[in-house]
């Protein structure tokens, strides 16, 4: 049932490529853009190891791997902007696993590529698991796939400056309401400005996607990360005591508004992680993924860990 069970990101090293083991060597190797594009679609994810890239040398490497870098507008996880459309990977507490997902699959537009760069490796743990989206889809029970066939409805409650979760100003990187409305209009979202200065956004999206080049169908939604049960039992129970689900910072139902059973959410998370391959980090490593073909997450870790992320269309 699982296609390609031995799939793992394709490793690019100085030995394999004949490039010098430094930033100029990698940049020279990446000058062949067509080769890079074709290899990424074929292999789905690429790790670049042994080039010893320093943070100060990152810009030309990023220009080659993720041209047209995008801002994290409409993003929903805590992170810090550290450069021109470069961010820390999510600042979610280190003891938690982040389940598999495709970046911004809930939005009307998502990045085609993600680039991760390890500035500082953790003492232990902290791998980035990656999953072949075709394999993840195949790992789910037919009952779950059929239930999701009609799509999902995501709802966000963004406060106006004070409250739980993110503000609409942080989320859209602007203070201008009309700019937010233009963005949401493009994505065929429904929205409502609340009397308290907050913003409620609702949008219906597909649960799977097809890759624009290969046509492969992949599991492509973030229902498990938006669902209350995806927060873990204790957090979900604590939140349920203080607010109804539709008032939470984010929630999800099937497209027609019916609730998604918690056991479906558990299956999606468990089988996504079970189908994943861990990419362990050493300082200076890079990981480039096709954001449609491959989902990603994060394993728990100890000690300081700093992984930067950039994305492009």
């Amino acid at each position: 049932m699982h296609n390609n069970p031995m799939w793992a990101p394709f490793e690019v090293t100085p030995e394999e490529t004949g490039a010098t083991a430094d930033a100029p060597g990698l940049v020279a190797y990446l000058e062949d853009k067509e080769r890079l594009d074709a290899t990424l679609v074929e292999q789905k994810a690429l790790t670049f190891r042994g080039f010893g890239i320093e943070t100060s040398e990152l810009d030309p490497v990023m220009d080659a791997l993720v041209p047209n870098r995008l801002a994290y507008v409409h993003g929903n996880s805590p992170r810090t902007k550290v450069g021109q459309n470069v961010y820390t990977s999510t600042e979610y507490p280190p003891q938690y696993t982040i389940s598999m997902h495709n970046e911004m699959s809930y939005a009307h537009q998502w990045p085609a590529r993600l680039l991760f760069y390890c500035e500082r490796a953790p003492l232990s743990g902290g791998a980035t698991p990656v999953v072949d989206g075709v394999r993840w889809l195949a790992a789910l029970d037919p009952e779950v796939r059929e239930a999701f066939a009609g799509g999902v409805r995501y709802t966000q409650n963004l406060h106006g400056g004070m409250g739980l979760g993110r503000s609409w100003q942080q989320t859209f990187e602007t203070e201008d309401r009309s700019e937010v409305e233009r963005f949401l209009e493009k994505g065929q979202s429904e929205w409502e400005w609340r009397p308290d200065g907050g913003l409620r956004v609702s949008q219906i999206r597909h649960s799977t996607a097809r890759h624009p080049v290969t046509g492969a169908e992949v599991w492509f939604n973030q229902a498990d990360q938006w669902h209350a049960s995806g927060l873990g039992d204790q957090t979900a129970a604590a939140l349920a005591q203080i607010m109804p689900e539709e008032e939470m910072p984010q929630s999800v139902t099937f497209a027609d508004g019916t609730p998604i059973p918690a056991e479906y959410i558990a299956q999606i998370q468990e089988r996504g992680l079970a189908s994943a391959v861990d990419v362990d980090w050493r300082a200076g490593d890079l990981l480039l993924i096709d954001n449609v073909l491959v989902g990603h997450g994060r394993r728990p870790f100890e000690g300081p860990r700093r992984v930067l992320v950039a994305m492009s269309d």
Side-chain angles (χ1 to χ4, degrees):
M1 174 166 139
H2 289 165
N3 78 319
N4 200 2
M6 296 308 292
W7 176 83
F10 181 73
E11 201 157 289
V12 180
T13 63
E15 297 76 34
E16 292 284 317
T17 57
T20 54
D22 53 20
L26 179 55
V27 170
Y29 172 74
L30 295 172
E31 274 171 4
D32 187 342
K33 189 178 168 304
E34 280 179 19
R35 175 180 59 193
L36 174 68
D37 293 354
T39 307
L40 182 59
V41 168
E42 184 189 344
Q43 301 290 345
K44 307 183 182 188
L46 310 173
T47 53
F48 297 88
R49 299 193 189 274
F51 292 95
I53 307 298
E54 299 285 340
T55 312
S56 58
E57 305 170 311
L58 201 49
D59 268 346
V61 176
M62 286 197 301
D63 290 344
L65 291 170
V66 280
N68 312 320
R69 291 206 293 280
L70 302 172
Y72 188 61
V73 174
H74 204 180
N76 71 329
S77 70
R79 57 182 78 212
T80 305
K81 199 166 185 171
V82 292
Q84 183 57 47
N85 292 344
V86 182
Y87 300 83
T88 57
S89 60
T90 183
E91 288 157 14
Y92 204 56
Q95 66 271 31
Y96 296 114
T97 297
I98 296 175
S99 61
M100 308 311 295
H101 62 287
N102 302 74
E103 199 63 43
M104 297 180 72
S105 58
Y106 55 83
H108 75 282
Q109 271 185 311
W110 47 80
R113 286 180 184 184
L114 300 184
L115 176 67
F116 299 89
Y117 164 72
C118 182
E119 186 172 84
R120 185 170 187 180
L123 294 176
S124 66
T128 294
V130 287
V131 65
D132 177 341
V134 174
R135 192 172 174 210
W136 190 5
L137 178 62
L140 300 173
D141 291 350
E143 178 192 339
V144 173
R145 296 203 300 266
E146 282 158 27
F148 275 86
V152 294
R153 177 186 283 275
Y154 299 104
T155 301
Q156 270 174 305
N157 290 296
L158 303 166
H159 61 78
M162 287 287 286
L164 195 63
R166 287 167 69 86
S167 69
W168 62 262
Q169 294 94 330
Q170 279 174 311
T171 298
F172 296 101
E173 294 193 2
T174 181
E175 301 275 333
D176 182 345
R177 286 185 177 208
S178 58
E179 204 176 307
V180 173
E181 290 180 1
R182 280 196 297 276
F183 180 90
L184 292 172
E185 226 159 51
K186 268 195 305 202
Q188 298 158 341
S189 305
E190 298 165 22
W191 71 88
E192 173 194 354
W193 294 102
R194 311 305 296 270
D196 64 2
L199 172 67
R200 174 178 284 182
V201 179
S202 181
Q203 47 206 358
I204 294 175
R205 300 286 180 247
H206 296 294
S207 61
T208 64
R210 286 196 178 274
H211 191 266
V213 178
T214 68
E217 187 180 14
V218 296
W219 186 248
F220 195 77
N221 67 81
Q222 272 165 260
D224 61 306
Q225 293 195 326
W226 286 57
H227 197 279
S229 70
L231 298 167
D233 296 343
Q234 287 171 308
T235 311
L239 273 175
Q241 287 183 319
I242 54 172
M243 58 177 60
E245 196 167 324
E246 64 273 13
E247 295 298 328
M248 287 184 186
Q250 51 189 46
S251 60
V252 65
T253 61
F254 288 122
D256 63 4
T258 56
I260 300 172
E263 59 269 23
Y264 288 3
I265 296 299
Q267 182 182 129
I268 291 162
Q269 287 192 330
E270 286 160 12
R271 296 196 186 166
L273 277 163
S275 304
V277 176
D278 280 356
V279 175
D280 291 307
W281 290 112
R282 292 191 296 267
D285 286 351
L286 297 140
L287 167 67
L288 181 69
I289 66 175
D290 182 305
N291 185 45
V292 174
L293 294 174
V294 172
H296 66 281
R298 191 201 69 193
R299 302 285 184 189
F301 63 92
E302 287 179 6
R305 171 190 188 270
R306 191 164 162 97
V307 173
L308 303 182
V309 63
M311 44 199 185
S312 72
D313 53 15

